[in-house]
Amino acid sequence: GNSVTQMEGPVTLSEEAFLTINCTYTATGYPSLFWYVQYPGEGLQLLLKATKADDKGSNKGFEATYRKETTSFHLEKGSVQVSDSAVYFCALSLHGSSNTGKLIFGQGTTLQVKP
Amino acid sequence: DARVTQTPRDKVTEMGQEVTMRCQPILGHNTVFWYRQTMMQGLELLAYFRNRAPLDDSGMPKDRFSAEMPDATLATLKIQPSEPRDSAVYFCASGLAQGAGVLTEAFFGQGTRLTVV
């Protein structure tokens, strides 16, 4: 079936470290891919997206590239800050099937950044 | 600044009572999702609508849950009767699907934290 798998957390980093959160997907057809971030007590915020293969989404220093050959959409940031501590969700939206537009999430990865 | 509005933000109710959660999607969006978030299960998709028509509600317990869109500015999720296991945060998301239904963006509300005692 259609699904998203993220690396397990928590991921604990020191400030200014390089961040990678892995995300792989299984989908029929070619989905759009999204990263969302959730801060404590809040809803999910759209961080970035990519709608076709080789697209790179970027926002606030975060970026992710849609890799069709490896079915991946890994999130990266060159230098994390304490304020980046949150839960990060990878998601896909299906195209060209009976579930077109359905938005499916991974389990989330908690990031803790220490000063 | 367009945003998704959910009410109430918090709800405490007794087991057996009816609960109604409301969502005002972003003007111009044509897709609405309802999700439930718990520590154990993560984010679960309960139902979603396109142009007010339900596309998939297979994630929703049909015996007690119902979701509707009476008009383009309001989506509702009802639980009747409520049970303690329904305690969770319920999120509404508003999205725009274009062309052959390709979702180009989706924004979440702040959620309704439901506690059933």
Side-chain angles (χ1 to χ4, degrees), chain A residues 6 12-14 18 24 26-27 30 36 40 44 53 55 57 69 78 82 89-90 96 104-106 108 110 115:
Chain A
Q6 297 180 226
T12 303
L13 296 173
S14 297
F18 185 86
T24 56
T26 302
Y30 302 107
Y36 283 81
L44 280 72
D55 270 2
E69 62 276 12
V82 172
F89 292 90
C90 184
I104 298 170
F105 283 85
T110 299

Side-chain angles (χ1 to χ4, degrees), chain A residues 66-83:
Chain A
Y66 188 156
R67 302 286 189 200
K68 191 176 80 171
E69 62 276 12
T70 54
T71 62
S72 65
F73 192 54
H74 305 322
L75 183 68
E76 297 181 336
K77 187 176 185 183
S79 175
V80 294
Q81 305 300 311
V82 172
S83 57

Side-chain angles (χ1 to χ4, degrees), chain B residues 13-89:
Chain B
T13 191
E14 292 185 347
M15 183 173 61
Q17 296 298 304
E18 177 179 299
V19 175
T20 299
M21 291 168 271
R22 294 177 173 80
C23 169
Q24 181 177 356
I26 293 171
L27 187 66
H29 277 187
N30 56 11
T31 307
V32 172
F33 303 88
W34 282 106
Y35 290 89
R36 175 170 63 185
Q37 186 177 39
T38 61
M39 289 294 292
M40 294 300 295
Q41 300 296 326
L43 265 175
E44 302 173 272
L45 177 63
L46 299 175
Y48 78 110
F49 293 75
R50 174 77 37 74
N51 297 320
R52 295 176 56 201
L55 290 189
D56 187 348
D57 61 1
S58 59
M60 208 162 61
K62 303 288 193 312
D63 56 336
R64 298 183 300 108
F65 284 60
S66 62
E68 295 179 343
M69 281 201 74
D71 61 60
T73 65
L74 178 64
T76 62
L77 179 66
K78 291 186 181 181
I79 308 174
Q80 168 62 22
S82 57
E83 297 180 2
R85 61 180 167 149
D86 300 330
S87 298
V89 181

Side-chain angles (χ1 to χ4, degrees), chain B residues 10-15 19 82-84 86-88 90 112-117:
Chain B
D10 286 279
K11 177 72 175 179
V12 180
T13 191
E14 292 185 347
M15 183 173 61
V19 175
S82 57
E83 297 180 2
D86 300 330
S87 298
Y90 290 82
T112 294
R113 182 177 298 277
L114 175 65
T115 304
V116 184
V117 297

Side-chain angles (χ1 to χ4, degrees), chain A residues 47-49 56-64:
Chain A
L47 183 58
L48 52 84
K49 65 180 182 181
K56 177 185 282 189
S58 61
N59 186 27
K60 299 180 181 178
F62 292 90
E63 59 182 36

